[in-house]
Every structure is written in C-alpha cells, then in structure tokens.
Amino acid sequence: MGLFDAEEVIVNGASSGGQAVLFWMNYFRKFLPKRVKLKGISDGGLFLDIINQNGNCHLFRKHMFSIANYTNSMDLGVFEDCEFKNNNEEFYRWKISEDVIKYVKSEMFIINSQNDFEFLRTAYGLNCLDNGVSTCNQNLTQKIDDFREHFLDVALNLKKTKPKWGFWLRR
C-alpha cells in the first residue's frame, strides 16, 4: 500500500482510538523506516486513572489485566520502554493513557476536552450531565471541577516534558 515509501505518516484516532494511538506510536516508530516522519493525533484519548464512583477502586485497574491478555500488545513489545513493564502490581498501567503517554517518543498533537462528560459518566456515574452541568448538585459539580483540575495538572506536566507536542484542550 506504499506505507514504506511514505515520507510522513500521521496516525490518528478518536476516543478509544485516540488512546490506541498513544499505545502504538513507539511500535510504529520501530516498524517504519527511520527516514519516515511519524506524527500522532490523539483526539479524546487521554483517559485518566481516577477513583470510580464507589470510591473503592480505580476505573481501569480492574479490567486491564484481562484486556492485555486478550491482545497481542505485550508480545509486540508495545510497552517495552515503560518502567512498569515487568511489575505485576503496576500491570494495569499498560493501558492507562495518563501513564503510557509519558513514554511516547514521536511528536503528538493532543485534542481533548478538559471536562470529558462521557468519561465522567463512566467513572462517576454522573447522569445529571445528560441534561447539562447546571442540573448537577453542588457535590457532583465539585467532582467535575476536581476532574478538570486533575486533567489540567496531567496535561501541563506533560507539556513541560514534551515541549514539541501540540495541545488543544477544549473546555
């Protein structure tokens, strides 16, 4: 299909596809010839590792071990540069974009909402968002604000370590 003849390759995905872009960028870099410029666009794929609505476990940790076992991502060495690769206690971090993104070597452009309502619905069960933030009570509005603050902390710290990356963090 001409991939190896390309001068530049842009990998793009949205939501879980945006998360997949983050996971696979280093693998693509090894797969493509060195002369190929590789860039990635992750749209809505910066998922955070936050405590779920019950307050007793992190959102992704419970399911990530089984998901990684059903994919070939471990066998392909997708996460071989990650510090948590061989640590069973930290295994879930292989699928948390908040952690994996730190290891992406190629230039990226990150597009993400500071208040990802679908993520907030999933993590916290904030059904009030279906009718707009104004219908959420003060406690739930505080959770939304706390999420946004945590998201911006992650993004700003990432920007410091990845100065060539671009960000559009819409509100």
Side-chain angles (χ1 to χ4, degrees):
M1 298 281 226
L3 183 62
F4 292 106
D5 298 324
E7 293 179 23
E8 185 171 29
V9 172
I10 299 173
V11 181
N12 180 41
S15 193
S16 59
Q19 187 179 31
V21 169
L22 300 172
F23 296 157
W24 286 91
M25 287 301 290
N26 289 346
Y27 177 77
F28 289 144
R29 177 69 278 158
K30 291 178 194 171
F31 182 71
L32 293 170
K34 298 276 187 225
R35 63 173 173 66
V36 174
K37 294 178 189 172
L38 177 65
K39 309 233 181 216
I41 301 171
S42 174
D43 185 351
L46 184 53
F47 300 137
L48 305 182
D49 189 29
I50 60 174
I51 300 291
N52 72 355
Q53 62 185 337
N54 300 323
N56 59 6
C57 69
H58 284 76
L59 180 63
F60 291 103
R61 294 181 192 190
K62 184 176 180 182
H63 302 290
M64 286 304 117
F65 185 80
S66 60
I67 290 172
N69 281 333
Y70 290 117
T71 68
N72 63 353
S73 57
M74 291 187 300
D75 297 334
L76 293 174
V78 173
F79 305 106
E80 69 183 25
D81 296 330
C82 297
E83 64 188 37
F84 45 83
K85 178 180 185 264
N86 295 314
N87 183 338
N88 288 335
E89 295 295 318
E90 299 288 309
F91 185 80
Y92 70 90
R93 291 173 64 190
W94 286 33
K95 294 290 183 178
I96 307 294
S97 53
E98 175 182 355
D99 291 318
V100 171
I101 196 169
K102 299 170 193 171
Y103 299 95
V104 176
K105 296 174 184 170
S106 297
E107 288 183 29
M108 296 288 302
F109 188 75
I110 306 298
I111 303 168
N112 222 99
S113 172
Q114 297 172 25
N115 290 322
D116 186 332
F117 286 170
E118 191 56 40
F119 187 81
L120 288 166
R121 277 187 200 96
T122 303
Y124 294 138
L126 298 182
N127 295 327
C128 63
L129 294 171
D130 294 337
N131 300 316
V133 176
S134 62
T135 63
C136 298
N137 66 37
Q138 185 175 3
N139 183 41
L140 298 179
T141 302
Q142 185 60 52
K143 283 188 180 236
I144 295 168
D145 290 343
D146 291 346
F147 174 85
R148 180 176 177 270
E149 186 175 315
H150 178 62
F151 177 85
L152 288 174
D153 283 346
V154 169
L156 290 173
N157 285 330
L158 188 59
K159 181 63 178 160
K160 289 177 188 174
T161 62
K162 309 282 189 179
K164 292 185 177 183
W165 286 23
F167 293 84
W168 179 33
L169 307 175
R170 57 196 184 275
R171 182 127 189 191

